């Protein structure tokens, strides 16, 4: 053990373990349960487009070949849809793969990465593993982006500002005014990253076209998206990014693994991206279910952040880990938030209407016991 500790860099041994969701089969075996309601990993309960499933079947016979390193067909489809040159697109093994690659490209030991708190853990972890400092800015009391604090932090010229909108785990999305103020305040030596993993779930009436607002910005930027959430391809691990320049993408591909995206993921993503009707149906249903579940929790006096994603960030009023453990005993998985200052919160994925009802029933069963224990 001592030799291992001496071998590994301190930046690595001091990292927290990523708080991943539990696999349902693991929990079934552990607790002897036949049925699990999995609401801890922000997955799409309705699954991918049938076209994506068929596309995976079609590529199976060619699995002895390496995938298309240039992602030719998918690149062309997304570029045409977004109205950007294909050479400014990058693909990775999930959008978090691209985050890690970009950090390795640009972040040096001792430099600063700025993000919000609570936030997606890898926004901080990928900085810390490189010996950089992660500066975290809390959301306002009414769960708005801390724009004033962000602007002040940008004045100190950090290497990266990374913001998820909708935010994970809070769910709140930036307004046009928020985006414009942040872009205007970003110095040219700061890489501005917008992580839009959940953007497809935003109500169309309030969705901000960040790419359009970046068109006149001359500094470096990246917008990240994924096929894991709304497109239902979490198991295949594929995400993409749009960057400010071709040169940035060329250098990213020098750092990226040569065949980072597998052939099944490429085929499924292309088919899923083309099936706009399936995406619209899924996201519309999730928005409806989100509204129903949020109203039910509010009616029971639970405080929660205003979400535009496929999850709710709920203040349980007690230790969130204890609530999650009690719900787990009922076969319902939610994610307790472990960041200091937010440990009473649980993040609840928006599932089917039936799954939401099962969660509410289980919460009603365990709440009195937890209240008595506290």
């Amino acid at each position: 053990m001592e030799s291992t500790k001496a071998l590994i860099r301190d930046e690595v041994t001091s990292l927290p373990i990523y708080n991943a969701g539990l696999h349902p089969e693991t929990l079934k075996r552990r607790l002897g349960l036949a049925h699990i309601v999995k609401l801890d990993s922000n997955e799409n309960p309705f699954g991918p487009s049938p076209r994506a499933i068929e596309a995976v079947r079609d590529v199976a016979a060619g699995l002895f070949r390496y995938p298309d390193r240039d992602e030719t067909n998918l690149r062309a489809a997304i570029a045409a849809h977004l109205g950007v040159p294909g050479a400014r697109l990058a693909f990775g093994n999930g959008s978090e793969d691209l985050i890690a690659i970009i950090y390795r490209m640009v972040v040096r030991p001792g430099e600063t990465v700025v993000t919000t708190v609570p936030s997606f853990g890898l926004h901080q972890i990928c900085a810390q593993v490189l010996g950089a400092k992660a500066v975290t800015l809390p959301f306002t009391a009414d769960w708005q982006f801390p724009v004033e604090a962000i602007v002040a932090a940008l004045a100190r010229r950090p290497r990266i500002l990374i913001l998820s909108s909708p935010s994970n785990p809070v769910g709140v999305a930036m307004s046009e005014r928020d985006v414009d103020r942040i872009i205007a305040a970003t110095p040219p030596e700061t890489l501005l990253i917008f992580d839009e993993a959940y953007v497809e779930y935003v109500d169309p009436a309030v969705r901000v076209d960040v790419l359009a607002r970046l068109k006149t910005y001359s500094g470096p930027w990246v917008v990240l998206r994924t096929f894991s959430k709304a497109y239902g391809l979490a198991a295949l691990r594929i995400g993409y990014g749009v960057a400010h320049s071709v040169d940035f993408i060329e250098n990213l591909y020098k750092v990226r693994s040569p065949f980072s995206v597998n052939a099944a993921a490429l085929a499924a993503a292309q088919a899923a991206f083309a099936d706009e009707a399936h995406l619209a149906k899924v996201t519309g249903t999730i928005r409806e279910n989100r509204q129903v579940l949020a109203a039910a929790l509010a009616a029971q006096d639970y405080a929660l952040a205003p979400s535009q994603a496929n999850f709710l960030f709920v203040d349980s009023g007690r230790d969130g880990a204890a609530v999650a453990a009690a719900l787990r005993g009922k076969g319902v998985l939610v994610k307790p938030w472990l960041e200091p200052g937010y440990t009473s919160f649980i993040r609840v994925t928006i599932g089917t209407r039936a799954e939401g009802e099962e969660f509410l029933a289980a919460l009603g069963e365990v709440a009195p016991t937890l209240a008595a224990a506290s």
Side-chain angles (χ1 to χ4, degrees):
M1 177 65 77
E2 286 301 318
S3 61
T4 299
K5 186 175 181 181
L7 176 68
I8 301 171
R9 291 189 296 117
D10 291 343
E11 292 89 348
V12 175
T13 57
S14 63
L15 291 175
I17 296 173
Y18 182 70
N19 181 23
L22 291 170
H23 194 277
E25 294 305 317
T26 301
L27 193 62
K28 284 180 182 179
R29 290 193 300 268
R30 186 183 301 172
L31 298 181
L33 297 171
H35 174 65
I36 296 292
V37 177
K38 194 173 189 306
L39 304 177
D40 61 344
S41 295
N42 299 343
E43 294 149 329
N44 172 359
F46 302 105
S49 162
R51 297 185 198 174
I53 297 172
E54 188 61 31
V56 172
R57 294 193 183 103
D58 289 343
V59 301
L63 294 183
F64 63 98
R65 300 289 187 196
Y66 283 104
D68 176 12
R69 181 184 181 275
D70 297 320
E71 304 94 16
T72 306
N73 295 330
L74 180 60
R75 182 183 300 274
I78 294 176
H81 180 79
L82 297 180
V84 300
R88 284 171 48 197
L89 291 172
F91 296 85
N93 189 30
S95 56
E96 64 265 40
D97 181 37
L98 292 172
I99 293 171
I101 294 168
I102 291 167
Y103 278 41
R104 294 202 304 273
M105 286 173 60
V106 307
V107 177
R108 299 160 182 84
E111 291 185 329
T112 300
V113 172
V114 175
T115 190
T116 52
V117 63
S119 69
F120 179 47
L122 293 183
H123 290 174
Q124 299 178 49
I125 290 172
C126 288
Q128 293 164 341
V129 76
L130 297 170
K133 179 183 179 183
V135 173
T136 55
L137 307 174
F139 283 83
T140 65
D142 59 348
W143 294 114
Q144 299 302 308
F145 277 85
V147 177
E148 296 297 334
I150 291 170
V151 169
L154 286 169
R156 294 187 284 275
R157 303 181 184 277
R159 178 56 60 194
I160 288 177
L161 170 66
I162 183 165
L163 302 169
S164 58
S165 180
S167 165
N168 179 17
V170 176
V172 67
M174 282 187 280
S175 67
E176 289 184 352
R177 184 172 183 272
D178 291 342
V179 173
D180 290 345
R181 284 197 65 198
I182 289 166
I183 292 173
T186 303
E189 56 266 64
T190 296
L191 174 62
L192 180 56
I193 303 177
F194 289 99
D195 185 346
E196 294 193 322
Y198 299 93
V199 71
E200 292 87 1
Y201 291 114
V202 178
D203 290 326
V206 299
R207 179 171 171 174
V208 178
D209 188 343
V210 171
L211 281 171
R213 308 190 90 76
L214 285 165
K215 283 184 177 179
T216 58
Y217 175 57
S218 59
W221 56 266
V222 179
V223 174
L224 298 172
R225 294 181 182 169
T226 185
F227 284 93
S228 293
K229 306 304 179 184
Y231 288 97
L233 298 177
L236 289 179
R237 314 304 307 121
I238 176 168
Y240 67 97
V242 187
H244 63 287
S245 73
V246 173
D247 178 67
F248 187 91
I249 297 299
E250 288 177 348
N251 281 284
L252 188 154
Y253 271 60
K254 294 176 186 176
V255 180
R256 194 196 79 158
S257 172
F259 299 101
S260 180
V261 182
N262 68 73
L266 284 173
Q270 184 180 350
F273 192 76
D275 194 347
E276 296 181 0
H278 181 81
L279 179 67
K281 181 179 179 180
V282 165
T283 55
T285 303
I286 290 294
R287 284 193 286 268
E288 292 173 3
N289 292 356
R290 180 178 70 204
Q291 184 176 7
V292 170
L293 185 59
L297 288 166
Q300 297 178 36
D301 295 325
Y302 285 99
L304 58 158
S307 178
Q308 286 289 333
N310 69 329
F311 53 81
L312 297 174
F313 197 49
V314 184
D315 190 346
S316 69
R318 50 187 59 88
D319 178 46
V323 175
L327 289 172
R328 195 179 307 132
K330 300 288 184 181
V332 176
L333 304 184
V334 300
K335 188 166 187 174
W337 212 253
L338 305 180
E339 285 182 283
Y342 303 95
T343 54
S344 65
F345 283 83
I346 56 173
R347 193 192 65 192
V348 185
T349 303
I350 306 300
T352 65
R353 193 70 62 88
E355 288 173 331
E357 290 171 355
E358 288 185 71
F359 159 70
L360 289 170
L363 185 63
E365 291 175 12
V366 303
T369 302
L370 291 167
S374 60

